[in-house]
Amino acid sequence: TLANSQNWTSVAFDGTRYRAVCTALTSNNFAQSTDGGANWTIFSANVSWGNPNFIIWFSSRWYAFTSVSFSQYLLNTTTGTTSGWAFTSYTGAPGGNITLILAKVVNNQLLVTTTTRLLRVTTDGTNWTQQTAAIATNKSIVDMAYNSVRTNLYVAVASNGGIYYATGTSIVAGTTWTSVASLSAINFRSVIYSPKLDLFVAFQLDSPYAIYASRDGINWDTSMTLEPIGIFTPAYGIWINDYDGFFLV
């Protein structure tokens, strides 16, 4: 098992192995398991870099990102080993350092959001497109979900207030985002979509830790709350399991 004190923040699976990253160490901050997560081998990417916050398997390659202001990410194409990591630039997107908030695969697109509200997206794992406008001015987009069942709708949430939605089959440079005005003052931690239930669920960042539900991403049920919940305070967000049940961590 991995030590809780090391703050392992992200895990991904490539069909054969799990890999995880932690922010508490400056070296030996990667881990790998080939037996379903029972046993882990700690390793280092052997590069001079800040602590990683996200690890992602996408387009048959491993990606690692740091939230430290930086102009590149780590790419690993030798999937069978722990070596072969290399710095890689955001090809096709403006250069310069970015302070990353989110790295996630949404609707077969790998995307990152930053403290400058820029959204960079790649569909092939190599070429990146940058939004020409912010999703929302001065808002930190911390999570995003997509509904492909009937509306082709993206929903994004901000940790400093608001839910935003956009339509389309993919995110492009000129994608337009609209705010849900009634929720602009609510701080959110995460959002997820269940195809089986045809339901978006968003989780509030702070007290009263309310849960918001919507079928169209525009009109939200705000009647659910977790308080009082005793000593448990959700720290990371809301997830969905294979049976489309939602759970908090």
Side-chain angles (χ1 to χ4, degrees):
T1 59
L2 303 175
N4 293 335
S5 60
Q6 293 175 342
N7 194 19
W8 295 89
T9 56
S10 178
V11 64
F13 183 59
D14 68 359
T16 302
R17 62 189 60 78
Y18 288 94
R19 284 181 174 174
V21 294
C22 84
T23 60
L25 302 173
T26 56
S27 63
N28 293 324
N29 44 18
F30 288 70
Q32 176 171 288
S33 174
T34 58
D35 60 3
N39 297 283
W40 293 82
T41 300
I42 306 297
F43 68 95
S44 175
N46 294 319
V47 292
S48 177
W49 195 41
N51 299 353
N53 292 78
F54 300 95
I55 188 164
I56 289 176
W57 171 255
F58 178 74
S59 190
S60 300
R61 287 171 286 193
W62 285 98
Y63 297 77
F65 300 87
T66 180
S67 64
V68 177
S69 181
F70 206 66
S71 62
Q72 297 174 307
Y73 57 94
L74 279 174
L75 177 64
N76 174 236
T77 57
T78 57
T79 58
T81 71
T82 56
S83 61
W85 294 86
F87 288 124
T88 308
S89 298
Y90 291 93
T91 303
N97 289 357
I98 63 172
T99 302
L100 185 141
I101 299 174
L102 171 70
K104 185 177 183 179
V105 176
V106 179
N107 188 32
N108 297 316
Q109 302 163 101
L110 173 56
L111 61 89
V112 300
T113 64
T114 78
T115 53
T116 53
R117 279 78 60 191
L118 299 175
L119 180 68
R120 301 183 181 190
V121 181
T122 179
T123 57
D124 60 7
T126 301
N127 298 293
W128 294 77
T129 298
Q130 182 164 290
Q131 287 260 262
T132 53
I135 291 179
T137 303
N138 296 321
K139 296 296 183 179
S140 298
I141 302 301
V142 291
D143 204 4
M144 190 179 296
Y146 176 72
N147 172 358
S148 61
V149 173
R150 56 176 178 150
T151 60
N152 291 323
L153 184 77
Y154 292 88
V155 171
V157 297
S159 62
N160 57 345
I163 291 181
Y164 306 86
Y165 61 90
T167 58
T169 55
S170 61
I171 298 173
V172 296
T175 296
T176 300
W177 297 83
T178 303
S179 171
V180 178
S182 61
L183 300 177
S184 61
I186 305 298
N187 302 328
F188 289 92
R189 185 179 295 278
S190 59
V191 64
I192 200 163
Y193 175 74
S194 165
K196 187 172 183 179
L197 301 177
D198 188 19
L199 191 70
F200 286 101
V201 175
F203 173 55
Q204 188 174 345
L205 174 65
D206 42 27
S207 181
Y209 305 108
I211 297 173
Y212 298 80
S214 173
R215 294 202 181 278
D216 61 10
I218 302 170
N219 301 288
W220 293 79
D221 181 350
T222 62
S223 62
M224 295 177 284
T225 179
L226 294 182
E227 287 196 333
I229 53 176
I231 62 172
F232 173 66
T233 299
Y236 294 103
I238 191 164
W239 277 263
I240 189 169
N241 66 15
D242 290 339
Y243 301 99
D244 288 299
F246 297 100
F247 62 97
L248 294 164
V249 178

